[in-house]
Amino acid sequence: METLFTDYLPNFVSGLRTTLLLTTFAFVGSLVLGVVLATFRISPIAPLRAAGTAYVEVFRNVPLFSLLILVVYGLPEIQVDIDYIPAVIIAMTAVGAAFACEVLRTGINAVGADQVEAARAVGLSFVGIVRYVVMPQAIRDMVQPGVSLFIGILLSSSLAGIVGVMDLTAEVSYINNREALGLTTFLVAAAMYATIALGAGAIGARVETRVRVRR
């Protein structure tokens, strides 16, 4: 056990930093793309609704493992070269956005129809209704589901090692292969993942208390 922290602390720090980098960029990207997709799905324009629905149905049902392989090893086959870390972030964002869209739709459905009708009555366009009435309330209603999305993206980042990115899980596997410490190494990594997830949950609870829409 002592060997872990005397010889491999830099590995844990490096792996944790990479995991947080992947998770943060993929989470933010998922939210941004999720807002666009959710807007498409409630749009009065049929092709946009169809495009949003098709995206969600495809990427919500594609295993991240397969998508990682396609992005990292498939794109170079068509002369699109992307470094490993950006490629992993793109794959994680593509899948995360599909779930972010559905989380947002849940919040959108909670917005009363009377508010939308009132917005139309004062002359707001569809974009104005979405921007000033629907999305602000939907986003405030998605704090806890958003935390669950963040945790899901955090845990999915553990697949980055399969394409050679040294995230926390990959570093743990490397350490375990060298030292054969068995479950001990993975318990340390599990504690790190759990600490991040519990921290996100606590922050989410505090934010929700402050911004929750009272109806």
Side-chain angles (χ1 to χ4, degrees), residues 71-157:
V71 172
V72 174
Y73 299 116
L75 290 182
E77 295 291 329
I78 57 172
Q79 311 306 315
V80 179
D81 293 316
I82 306 174
D83 287 342
Y84 283 174
I85 287 182
V88 172
I89 291 173
I90 288 172
M92 292 171 62
T93 299
V95 175
F99 289 94
C101 173
E102 291 308 277
V103 168
L104 266 170
R105 278 218 313 150
T106 302
I108 290 170
N109 290 334
V111 178
D114 56 331
Q115 295 187 43
V116 176
E117 292 300 325
R120 285 199 185 111
V122 298
L124 283 179
S125 64
F126 170 74
V127 174
I129 293 171
V130 171
R131 179 177 178 183
Y132 297 113
V133 178
V134 176
M135 280 300 173
Q137 295 186 62
I139 290 172
R140 290 165 70 181
D141 277 339
M142 66 170 285
V143 174
Q144 281 304 332
V147 170
S148 298
L149 176 67
F150 175 85
I151 293 172
I153 291 174
L154 167 70
L155 299 181
S156 70
S157 71

Side-chain angles (χ1 to χ4, degrees), residues 2-215:
E2 185 180 346
T3 302
L4 280 179
F5 297 106
T6 55
D7 296 347
Y8 294 105
L9 182 59
N11 295 75
F12 279 114
V13 172
S14 175
L16 184 59
R17 188 167 54 227
T18 302
T19 290
L20 291 175
L21 174 74
L22 296 173
T23 303
T24 301
F25 276 92
F27 179 66
V28 173
S30 297
L31 290 182
V32 172
L33 186 53
V35 168
V36 175
L37 290 169
T39 304
F40 279 14
R41 295 203 71 181
I42 62 172
S43 168
I45 303 173
L48 289 183
R49 287 201 308 273
T53 301
Y55 182 98
V56 170
E57 292 302 322
V58 169
F59 284 94
R60 195 172 55 172
N61 294 292
V62 171
L64 180 58
F65 178 90
S66 302
L67 194 59
L68 276 173
I69 299 296
L70 287 174
V71 172
V72 174
Y73 299 116
L75 290 182
E77 295 291 329
I78 57 172
Q79 311 306 315
V80 179
D81 293 316
I82 306 174
D83 287 342
Y84 283 174
I85 287 182
V88 172
I89 291 173
I90 288 172
M92 292 171 62
T93 299
V95 175
F99 289 94
C101 173
E102 291 308 277
V103 168
L104 266 170
R105 278 218 313 150
T106 302
I108 290 170
N109 290 334
V111 178
D114 56 331
Q115 295 187 43
V116 176
E117 292 300 325
R120 285 199 185 111
V122 298
L124 283 179
S125 64
F126 170 74
V127 174
I129 293 171
V130 171
R131 179 177 178 183
Y132 297 113
V133 178
V134 176
M135 280 300 173
Q137 295 186 62
I139 290 172
R140 290 165 70 181
D141 277 339
M142 66 170 285
V143 174
Q144 281 304 332
V147 170
S148 298
L149 176 67
F150 175 85
I151 293 172
I153 291 174
L154 167 70
L155 299 181
S156 70
S157 71
S158 63
L159 291 174
I162 64 174
V163 293
V165 173
M166 295 302 287
D167 72 315
L168 182 57
T169 301
E171 290 285 2
V172 166
S173 297
Y174 167 78
I175 295 168
N176 202 51
N177 288 337
R178 286 177 63 89
E179 301 294 338
L181 293 172
L183 293 177
T184 305
T185 320
F186 289 97
L187 282 174
V188 173
M192 289 182 175
Y193 281 113
T195 300
I196 297 170
L198 290 171
I203 292 171
R206 295 194 65 174
V207 171
E208 184 183 41
T209 301
R210 289 176 177 272
V211 305
R212 182 172 51 203
V213 178
R214 301 184 185 281
R215 296 185 173 90

